[in-house]
Amino acid sequence: MLSISSAALAFNAPMAGLHAPAMHNSGVRMETKADLEALAGKLNPVVKFWDPLGLADAGEGFAGASDNAGAIGFLRQAEIKHGRVAMAAFVGFIVQSNGIHFPWATTLSGVSYADISAAGGPAAQWDAVPTNAKWQIFFLIAGLELWSECAMDKHYMKGGQPGKFPSFEPIRKEIGHPPLDLFDPFGFSKNKTPEQKERGLLIELNNGRLAQIGIMAFVSEARVPGSVPALKGLITPYSGETMAPWGPGDADSVPFVKEMLAWSDTAPWM
């Protein structure tokens, strides 16, 4: 588990003149249900378009959308984002399950990555992360979410490109950091042809969908051994709350965690 230095969170950079980057989306248009049907055929020629919940016709009001195209933009953004997170989680779960970790300390008090790795499987390792480190991770996530939603001239629900993360260039001009962008940090896709970019996006969507299934299979098998027959005996069992951001180690400093843990012990499915 990686944590952000507390000094970084305490740093208050001058924000005067900081403004969102101009992202040129002149070639982007709002997608329709017909576009989704065409995309589905490219992603999986066997299954093609399958929408049992009718989300492609969610319409005005869905997630605050002003029309059906806006709702589709929201759903496209959500799938791409969840797919990317799931791909990182899938790889991370495998790495952590094999005891791979950084060799240095993760806190000023001397807690090391080796200490966290020794806690057990990936879910137990998250429980072992110090509370302050978890807060840092959550604040980082919140900052990235805020930047992705606000630092663009056209939102993905109003004609912007779903999945495109804004550059950090305005921040770099002010404080010199971060040195790399989150999206395409090394510029590998900058000179690719439109055809290559389209193929790359199709691969990313398919990999993201598979990763979402994969990480949920890992978590399910850890929490309920034998629930995923193909993974039986391969995943370290975990008895805690897989969907809770906080664990027993946070109960004394984070409000309502004690109540959550007490309630989960008496839940009918436990």
Side-chain angles (χ1 to χ4, degrees):
M1 293 291 182
L2 297 177
S3 63
I4 309 303
S5 167
S6 58
L9 289 178
F11 177 70
N12 293 313
M15 302 300 285
L18 185 61
H19 59 278
M23 297 181 64
H24 303 290
N25 293 319
S26 57
V28 178
R29 65 179 180 84
M30 299 296 283
E31 292 178 299
T32 65
K33 184 176 180 179
D35 292 320
L36 296 184
E37 292 172 345
L39 177 65
K42 295 177 182 178
L43 289 168
N44 192 321
V46 177
V47 177
K48 296 184 178 180
F49 184 74
W50 189 61
D51 181 24
L53 298 179
L55 294 176
D57 297 308
E60 180 182 353
F62 181 83
S66 59
D67 53 27
N68 197 57
I72 289 175
F74 174 86
L75 293 168
R76 291 273 284 122
Q77 170 78 4
E79 180 181 26
I80 294 170
K81 183 185 293 185
H82 281 79
R84 289 170 177 170
V85 172
M87 286 188 278
F90 184 87
V91 174
F93 197 103
I94 294 173
V95 169
Q96 291 176 250
S97 294
N98 285 278
I100 301 172
H101 57 79
F102 292 121
W104 50 76
T106 181
T107 70
L108 296 176
S109 62
V111 176
S112 68
Y113 286 101
D115 296 330
I116 294 174
S117 181
Q125 291 177 36
W126 172 252
D127 287 345
V129 173
T131 303
N132 286 340
K134 290 180 180 176
W135 277 120
Q136 292 174 41
I137 293 170
F138 293 147
F139 276 121
L140 172 63
I141 294 171
L144 292 176
E145 281 289 297
L146 184 65
W147 187 253
S148 71
E149 290 291 320
C150 301
M152 58 179 69
D153 65 339
K154 190 176 291 187
H155 196 266
Y156 50 81
M157 294 177 68
K158 297 184 181 297
Q161 181 179 348
K164 188 167 185 177
F165 195 91
S167 171
F168 293 131
E169 184 59 26
I171 304 178
R172 274 196 294 273
K173 288 181 179 179
E174 295 291 330
I175 64 173
H177 293 282
L180 299 173
D181 286 333
L182 188 63
F183 178 79
D184 193 22
F186 302 108
F188 291 147
S189 66
K190 182 172 58 176
N191 297 320
K192 287 186 177 181
T193 65
E195 292 76 17
Q196 290 174 320
K197 290 181 179 180
E198 181 184 11
R199 182 175 181 275
L201 289 173
L202 295 177
I203 292 173
E204 181 185 34
L205 278 170
N206 275 332
N207 287 344
R209 291 176 177 179
L210 186 59
Q212 290 176 71
I213 296 173
I215 188 59
M216 290 309 300
F218 284 166
V219 172
S220 299
E221 178 61 27
R223 188 64 182 84
V224 185
S227 60
V228 185
L231 297 175
K232 188 175 182 179
L234 299 177
I235 305 296
T236 303
Y238 174 68
S239 60
E241 286 295 316
T242 55
M243 295 300 170
W246 306 106
D250 312 304
D252 292 333
S253 56
V254 181
F256 306 116
V257 172
K258 287 182 180 179
E259 290 79 0
M260 178 197 73
L261 295 173
W263 177 82
S264 64
D265 288 339
T266 60
W269 56 82
M270 298 299 289

